[in-house]
């Protein structure tokens, strides 16, 4: 379907499933922390739960939920028949389940899933990380592409498809907030993509962007990451 309401509902259902999936992981974390010492899971698995929980909640539950609401409400609020780019709208949703399947499947790889906190700071995500980092990076790229396509769609819809007489100052606040959010997303998602690509090359291709021994700087990762992180949050 290219109907904005159908796609909005798909986003919301996807978010709900991811919310349950991501919500099962802190249950493991809290059960392990219920008493001092090791109870239920290995420390490495505990760390994997922390990382994947963070990523699934931010990129799988929260962002798609708001995108789903935007898909549902913005056309109705501005008097548009649909989103401006309905087929791209469809595609931006359809690649999401593959991204999360990939992210979750990294947990079953040899060496375990990503285990470096949800902020994946270097050198934890470069020097000390398992091979599944490659899958994690690819999943992040796909989620970013999806977010950016959704944002482009929102901007084009709000700018071009407002009903006659609906001036900028008559837009509902929800539409304004999404217009600003969409510009922020387009500004910061490529930065995250760059950061995780540098992580990938540091781990697998012998570069040292975040390795002081090779002239890099681990703190640079934090600067790049939070240039993305705060606007996203």
């Amino acid at each position: 379907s290219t109907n904005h309401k159908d796609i909005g509902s798909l986003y919301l259902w996807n978010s709900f499933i991811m919310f349950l999936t991501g919500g099962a992981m802190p249950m493991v974390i809290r059960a392990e922390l219920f008493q001092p010492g090791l109870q239920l899971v290995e420390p490495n698995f505990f760390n994997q739960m922390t990382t994947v929980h963070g990523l699934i909640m931010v990129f799988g539950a929260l962002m798609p939920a708001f995108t789903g609401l935007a898909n549902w409400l913005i056309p109705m609020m501005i008097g548009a028949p649909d989103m401006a780019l309905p087929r791209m709208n469809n595609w931006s949703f359809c690649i999401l389940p593959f991204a999360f399947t990939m992210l979750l499947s990294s947990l079953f790889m040899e060496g375990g899933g990503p285990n470096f906190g949800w902020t994946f700071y270097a050198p934890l995500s470069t020097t000390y990380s398992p091979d599944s980092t490659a899958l994690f990076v690819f999943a992040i790229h796909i989620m970013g592409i999806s977010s950016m396509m959704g944002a482009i769609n929102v901007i084009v819809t709000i700018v071009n498809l407002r009903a006659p007489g609906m001036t900028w100052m008559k837009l509902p606040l929800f539409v304004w907030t999404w217009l600003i959010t969409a510009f922020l997303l387009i500004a910061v998602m490529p930065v995250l993509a760059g950061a995780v690509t540098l992580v990938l090359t540091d781990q697998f291709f012998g570069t040292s962007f975040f390795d002081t021994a090779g002239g890099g700087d681990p703190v640079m990762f934090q600067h790049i990451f939070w240039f993305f992180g705060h606007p996203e949050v």
Side-chain angles (χ1 to χ4, degrees):
S1 170
T2 51
N3 181 308
H4 71 99
K5 293 177 185 173
D6 290 341
I7 295 171
S9 297
L10 284 169
Y11 266 112
L12 291 168
W13 276 113
N14 179 70
S15 290
F16 182 62
I17 293 164
M18 286 295 126
F19 180 73
L20 296 180
T21 309
M25 294 172 183
M27 303 298 272
V28 174
I29 294 170
R30 297 312 312 178
E32 178 57 56
L33 293 175
F34 187 58
Q35 289 176 317
L38 292 172
Q39 262 71 245
L40 301 171
V41 295
E42 288 298 308
N44 192 40
F45 187 72
F46 182 92
N47 293 340
Q48 291 170 35
M49 291 290 98
T50 308
T51 302
V52 179
H53 156 73
L55 292 168
I56 282 191
M57 283 307 201
V58 171
F59 292 106
L62 284 172
M63 286 304 296
F66 288 124
T67 312
L69 283 173
N71 265 305
W72 251 99
L73 297 173
I74 287 175
M76 297 197 289
M77 284 181 163
I78 65 173
D82 201 321
M83 295 295 276
L85 307 162
R87 290 169 68 90
M88 188 166 86
N89 204 14
N90 189 342
W91 192 38
S92 71
F93 170 76
C94 284
I95 61 178
L96 273 186
F98 293 99
F100 294 112
T101 305
M102 217 170 355
L103 184 58
L104 289 169
S105 67
S106 70
L107 292 170
F108 303 102
M109 278 184 72
E110 193 175 348
N115 56 0
F116 27 73
W118 92 261
T119 49
F120 35 96
Y121 280 178
L124 291 178
S125 56
T126 52
T127 312
Y128 303 108
S129 61
D131 287 346
S132 58
T133 307
L135 268 185
F136 142 84
V137 168
F138 194 32
I140 291 271
H141 276 303
I142 296 180
M143 297 169 204
I145 291 167
S146 169
S147 280
M148 286 187 67
M149 287 197 294
I152 290 166
N153 215 339
V154 164
I155 291 171
V156 176
T157 304
I158 295 171
V159 170
N160 289 337
L161 294 189
R162 302 194 306 283
M166 176 156 286
T167 60
W168 287 105
M169 288 298 127
K170 288 180 182 172
L171 286 179
L173 195 56
F174 180 81
V175 179
W176 265 113
T177 55
W178 245 107
L179 184 66
I180 294 161
T181 302
F183 276 109
L184 283 177
L185 275 172
I186 290 172
V188 302
M189 288 315 296
V191 177
L192 176 72
V196 293
T197 305
L198 299 185
V199 163
L200 193 72
T201 60
D202 265 18
Q203 190 184 0
F204 295 103
F205 298 103
T207 57
S208 46
F209 292 107
F210 307 126
D211 182 7
T212 43
D217 182 3
V219 179
M220 181 176 77
F221 178 87
Q222 298 175 28
H223 289 313
I224 300 172
F225 177 83
W226 285 112
F227 185 88
F228 147 81
H230 192 77
E232 167 80 3
V233 169

